[in-house]
Amino acid sequence: MYTALRLQRKLRQRLRSGDAEIVVVAPEPYMTYQPFLPEAAAGSISPRHVVVPLRRVLPHCTIVIGEVSGIDHAKRTATVTTLASGEDGTGALEIAYDEVVLAPGSVSRTLPVPGLADHGVGFKTIEEAIGLRNHVIEQMDIASATRDPAVRDAALTFVFVGGGYAGVEALAELEDMARYTSRYYHNIKAEDLKWILVEATGRILPEVGEDLGRYAVRELRGRNIDVRLDTRLDSCEDRVAVLSDGSRFPTRTLVWTAGVKPAPLLAATGLPLDERGRLVCTAELTVEGVEHAWSAGDAAAVPDLTAAETGRTTAPNAQHAVRQAKVLADNVVAALDGAPLTEYRHSYAGSVASLGLHKGVAHIYGRRLKGYLAWLIHRMYHLSRVPTFNRKARVLAEWTLAAFFKREIVSLGSLEHPRAEFELAAGRRPRPGGDDCQ
């Protein structure tokens, strides 16, 4: 989206004259600002303000909602399956191109853990974030109503696997939300909720540094969150999380945030990939050894020209991706004009992470901050980065209102099965379902 946004500005005259066309192919009609997913899950931000509609911000681009199943770069064509492909019987769409920008990002990296595919849920999309919020509140409803102690214990046990940004921030925000929500249940206390963070390495939040990582562990444990370091999830069959240290936790909630991998689409391109499955790129963000192909973000292995040691690539995070997109767009225009290309070069400024409402850690330009100030910097940084003034204003308004009004504690799980009530009224039994956490 950022690449198309900049190209849209740089090629304004050519787009008007018909000399250029920008086609954006995406599986969803919006871009998700992922750093805000934890706050959306906790109810601090409305879900619609976490996503940016492509058609609104890219009015001069052709938006195609569909999935790319393959790219034939020799013929310069992309095969796209759209929402209409199965309806009109015409099959997949073939889109010809002169220059191709591959930025499909990453997907959750799962492991062959028994039961994970059946009971786990990720935390990379707005649908997963809101589904998880609904699920947590529904589990509290189950625990409040059941007379079976085993069901109650499993409903109030929440296991998160992965100690990176996604896992820690999601757990911290949801724990904050659930602790607040418990005051509205006559038979559930905050101490009844059991939150477990499982991390295979010896520390969490490696991006913020070792000292702040240890502080984050102390902060979480001080809130009665069970942080298990150097521990793996061995199994989660029959809704029982079995850890490598021998612990067993019956649970109805297992959130998997243990890393990411490049989107599977890259394997269908025939373009050069590194050992992690990312596109091998040059510092100019071209695909190495291939003309007219570009990449950036999580899908690209881009040389880090600011690193002391050679051979390092830029970290797969939003800080690099957004900046790479701007350089990439400028280089595409330069290539069209026959001008020299610019190398991508950006020194890592630091990292910020939220540990729940009014709590956070930050490592910025060598300075280590924690507590309320770090949390405030985390919010201000991401407010400055979320696309469009419209989104900035709405998010800021919601934060301001949240300072004066109480949290929303409503679960809208029925949104995931909107026809269930009508099917029941029509005399049909609703099809069995439920979210993946259960």
Side-chain angles (χ1 to χ4, degrees):
M1 189 205 77
Y2 278 102
T3 302
L5 195 62
R6 194 167 181 87
L7 283 173
Q8 183 178 252
R9 290 197 295 266
K10 293 276 186 176
L11 300 175
R12 184 180 293 114
Q13 296 300 327
R14 300 186 205 188
L15 290 170
R16 287 176 179 172
S17 65
D19 292 336
E21 181 185 16
I22 303 170
V23 180
V24 178
V25 180
E28 302 292 347
Y30 53 78
M31 186 210 77
T32 302
Y33 189 72
Q34 292 187 346
F36 277 159
L37 287 182
E39 292 206 48
S44 300
I45 300 177
S46 173
R48 67 183 183 277
H49 298 157
V50 179
V51 298
V52 182
L54 297 180
R55 298 186 191 279
R56 173 177 291 178
V57 298
L58 301 173
H60 304 298
C61 300
T62 301
I63 308 298
V64 178
I65 305 305
E67 296 201 13
V68 177
S69 56
I71 289 178
D72 188 338
H73 193 60
K75 295 180 179 178
R76 307 270 189 91
T77 59
T79 303
V80 181
T81 303
T82 68
L83 296 176
S85 295
E87 298 290 334
D88 56 18
T90 57
L93 180 68
E94 277 209 349
I95 300 177
Y97 61 81
D98 296 296
E99 307 283 339
V100 63
V101 175
L102 293 161
S106 57
V107 298
S108 295
R109 177 176 59 86
T110 58
L111 298 176
V113 176
L116 178 61
D118 297 320
H119 303 296
V121 63
F123 198 79
K124 279 189 65 64
T125 68
I126 189 65
E127 293 83 3
E128 288 174 329
I130 303 311
L132 188 57
R133 169 187 168 82
N134 292 334
H135 174 78
V136 168
I137 297 176
E138 285 172 0
Q139 296 313 300
M140 297 177 72
D141 290 335
I142 290 172
S144 176
T146 186
R147 288 174 288 181
D148 187 332
V151 172
R152 175 186 169 90
D153 183 59
L156 296 181
T157 300
F158 308 94
V159 179
F160 285 67
V161 182
Y165 278 127
V168 172
E169 291 192 337
L171 182 150
E173 291 283 355
L174 284 166
E175 189 273 339
D176 247 359
M177 183 270 294
R179 182 159 28 87
Y180 175 86
T181 304
S182 66
R183 69 179 67 181
Y184 296 99
Y185 290 82
H186 70 283
N187 58 351
I188 296 179
K189 299 178 182 178
E191 305 81 59
D192 297 335
L193 301 167
K194 186 183 298 182
W195 298 84
I196 303 161
L197 177 63
V198 180
E199 168 55 39
T201 66
R203 59 175 177 160
I204 65 173
L205 296 175
E207 298 87 353
V208 300
E210 197 167 341
D211 291 343
L212 289 178
R214 284 196 293 265
Y215 167 81
V217 170
R218 292 196 302 271
E219 168 68 27
L220 294 176
R221 286 175 174 167
R223 289 157 57 180
N224 205 30
I225 295 172
D226 186 353
V227 181
R228 303 284 180 112
L229 302 178
D230 296 310
T231 307
R232 300 179 309 278
L233 176 70
D234 285 346
S235 169
C236 55
E237 291 181 302
D238 301 321
R239 293 181 176 174
V240 177
V242 180
L243 308 184
S244 60
D245 62 5
S247 303
R248 298 171 60 89
F249 296 100
T251 179
R252 296 169 62 89
T253 309
L254 179 73
V255 184
W256 181 268
T257 62
V260 296
K261 63 181 180 180
L265 157 67
L266 301 182
T269 63
L271 299 176
L273 307 179
D274 70 357
E275 66 280 357
R276 296 183 183 178
R278 301 175 300 174
L279 289 166
V280 180
C281 292
T282 66
E284 292 83 6
L285 302 173
T286 63
V287 177
E288 193 169 83
V290 182
E291 294 183 341
H292 310 293
W294 312 77
S295 187
D298 288 8
V302 179
D304 188 350
L305 300 183
T306 65
E309 60 268 31
T310 58
R312 282 191 59 181
T313 57
T314 56
N317 57 38
Q319 186 177 141
H320 281 300
V322 171
R323 289 172 170 84
Q324 286 172 0
K326 293 178 181 179
V327 175
L328 192 159
D330 290 346
N331 281 347
V332 169
V333 175
L336 295 176
D337 294 337
L341 306 184
T342 302
E343 293 182 333
Y344 173 74
R345 187 185 300 267
H346 171 67
S347 297
Y348 190 56
S351 301
V352 291
S354 169
L355 299 178
L357 192 62
H358 300 158
K359 298 174 283 289
V361 291
H363 187 191
I364 304 173
Y365 295 112
R367 297 191 63 184
R368 296 180 177 86
L369 305 170
K370 53 192 177 184
Y372 181 83
L373 180 59
W375 170 82
L376 187 62
I377 291 173
H378 169 270
R379 278 201 160 183
M380 292 303 101
Y381 172 77
H382 286 302
L383 183 65
S384 71
R385 295 301 173 184
V386 68
T388 78
F389 177 79
N390 180 305
R391 286 293 176 274
K392 295 180 197 294
R394 289 177 183 273
V395 169
L396 183 59
E398 287 193 309
W399 282 344
T400 303
L401 291 173
F404 299 99
F405 298 98
K406 296 180 179 180
R407 283 179 184 257
E408 293 291 346
I409 59 168
V410 177
S411 165
L412 297 176
S414 58
L415 290 175
E416 297 158 32
H417 308 285
R419 294 194 68 248
E421 185 71 20
F422 186 79
E423 289 179 355
L424 190 63
R428 290 180 55 187
R429 185 177 180 180
R431 287 173 290 181
D435 61 51
D436 293 335
C437 301
Q438 299 181 354

